[in-house]
Amino acid sequence: MIPLGTTQLTCLLGHPVAHSMSPAMHNNSFKKLGLDYTYLAFDIDENHIKEAIDALKLFNCRGFNLTMPLKQAVIPYLDEISDAAKLCNSVNTVVIDNGRLTGHTTDGIGYMDALKDKGYIITGKVMTLLGAGGAATSVATQAALDGVSEIRIFKRNNSSFIKAVSFAENLSKNSNCLVSVHDMADLDDLGESINDSAIVVNGTNVGMGSDNTSLIPIEFFRKDLIVSDLIYHPSKTKMLLDAEYAGSKIINGKYMLLFQGAAAFKLWTNMDMPIEYIKEKCFSED
Ligand code: NAP
């Protein structure tokens, strides 16, 4: 649909944004459903977030997404935030209703929906999660709220270890999931945890782009294990290639990206994104 005088604006704020998939996903969905909306990407850093938000309010924008480095920086400018966004201290979607801004996190919802779409059900199961950054904590939060029984987070024992421990304690307190933090360097502990788990998730940057390394020894994989990488480029990281070779079930991060967008789309339009159409239109190259 060509933008009209009535067209509702949605957009992405962050830096960089030029290679984002979100404009293609949302604009193709609006067009397919005949919705009078448009989605743009604005390259904005932390220094300009207040001005950007003021402008979006003035322009009667319907809502916006946030990507790096703004998922936390946006929080002081919101009127309200969802429980999940509070728990992981991250907002990637904002809805504007009559000038009032509500922040949500749809990264974890997108992750859990992507698993469901593949037929992988992890309710009541144990998860081993590598990393405790923005993406990993969003995934942990939604997995805990959706009924995963235990999450064991493995991360480097560095200055952010304490922060991860307090995130885990708070999430355990606010869900029925036991969340603990372990030192990634302890490979015996990691091996035992994976042995107890239905799913192992890489939420670190290791394996991204040209990095051909994996944090998990290949002998830790087994046939009935789900091995999941939040990374979508490359589509098969070294970890996923090893897991595939060992016969495990694998899933990369691209459908997390799709389903986090679908959850934002629903918040803005109250309509379901045409998932199969968007898979074909925007994600069919691999
Ligand atoms: P982030 O907040 O910077 O967190 C990065 C995490 O990776 C931290 O826990 C960090 O550990 C860990 N890490 C980095 N280098 C490491 C290394 N050499 N060894 C062990 N751990 C290491 O980044 P993020 O936004 O969470 O992104 C993480 C990954 O998720 C990226 O690859 C990104 O592409 C992907 N992602 C995917 C989606 C999607 O929709 N599929 C969405 C968001 C992000 P420390 O805590 O020790 O520093």
Side-chain angles (χ1 to χ4, degrees):
M1 197 162 178
I2 294 170
L4 304 166
T6 50
T7 299
Q8 300 222 58
L9 174 65
T10 58
C11 63
L12 173 66
L13 304 183
H15 175 79
V17 291
H19 299 292
S20 169
M21 295 282 291
S22 294
M25 277 196 284
H26 289 285
N27 286 319
N28 278 299
S29 300
F30 296 146
K31 191 170 167 197
K32 176 80 177 160
L33 300 179
L35 298 176
D36 187 15
Y37 286 80
T38 195
Y39 188 105
L40 299 173
F42 296 117
D43 199 314
I44 298 289
D45 63 18
E46 290 106 320
N47 298 326
H48 296 96
I49 186 164
K50 185 184 178 319
E51 289 148 278
I53 290 174
D54 285 345
L56 293 174
K57 279 164 85 168
L58 186 67
F59 295 160
N60 205 17
C61 170
R62 175 65 187 123
F64 54 95
N65 284 137
L66 289 313
T67 187
M68 280 193 325
L70 304 179
K71 290 184 183 185
Q72 273 138 40
V74 72
I75 292 175
Y77 303 103
L78 305 176
D79 297 298
E80 218 177 304
I81 70 170
S82 71
D83 290 344
K86 239 177 258 167
L87 285 169
C88 61
N89 194 34
S90 170
V91 166
N92 78 330
T93 303
V94 173
V95 179
I96 308 183
D97 278 313
N98 301 319
R100 209 178 149 71
L101 276 65
T102 306
H104 301 263
T105 176
T106 68
D107 285 328
I109 294 172
Y111 179 75
M112 295 303 284
D113 285 349
L115 287 184
K116 263 184 250 154
D117 186 61
K118 269 269 197 181
Y120 299 157
I121 306 299
I122 56 168
T123 316
K125 306 274 175 59
V126 179
M127 171 187 277
T128 296
L129 174 61
L130 305 183
T137 50
S138 301
V139 164
T141 299
Q142 199 60 42
L145 295 177
D146 285 359
V148 166
S149 64
E150 188 177 343
I151 300 171
R152 300 179 192 164
I153 298 173
F154 284 78
K155 79 170 295 304
R156 293 185 287 199
N157 193 351
N158 55 15
S159 59
S160 56
F161 199 86
I162 289 289
K163 190 173 157 220
V165 170
S166 73
F167 162 76
E169 285 171 356
N170 192 38
L171 186 54
S172 292
K173 227 189 307 165
N174 287 283
S175 68
N176 293 319
C177 181
L178 179 64
V179 188
S180 54
V181 185
H182 305 242
D183 183 350
M184 194 179 259
D186 186 344
L187 281 185
D188 290 338
D189 190 17
L190 178 63
E192 274 170 37
S193 179
I194 292 176
N195 212 27
D196 296 340
S197 297
I199 182 164
V200 54
V201 187
N202 177 36
T204 74
N205 302 322
V206 177
M208 194 161 72
S210 58
D211 175 9
N212 188 29
T213 62
S214 165
L215 292 166
I216 305 184
I218 190 166
E219 58 272 22
F220 288 1
F221 297 128
R222 55 175 205 278
K223 284 198 166 44
D224 67 339
L225 183 71
I226 303 166
V227 180
S228 157
D229 211 318
L230 304 191
I231 292 171
Y232 45 87
H233 179 69
S235 59
K236 283 183 191 166
T237 55
K238 164 90 166 104
M239 181 190 79
L240 289 186
L241 288 169
D242 285 352
E244 190 173 52
Y245 184 77
S248 305
K249 298 172 260 188
I250 64 166
I251 175 169
N252 73 13
K254 74 176 177 180
Y255 288 150
M256 169 176 172
L257 191 66
L258 167 62
F259 283 96
Q260 63 75 30
F265 187 87
K266 179 97 183 179
L267 286 166
W268 297 325
T269 65
N270 207 23
M271 302 275 286
D272 290 324
M273 182 178 270
I275 292 290
E276 294 308 319
Y277 175 76
I278 296 301
K279 269 185 189 170
E280 201 168 305
K281 191 96 186 155
C282 305
F283 292 88
S284 62
E285 78 290 351
D286 48 16

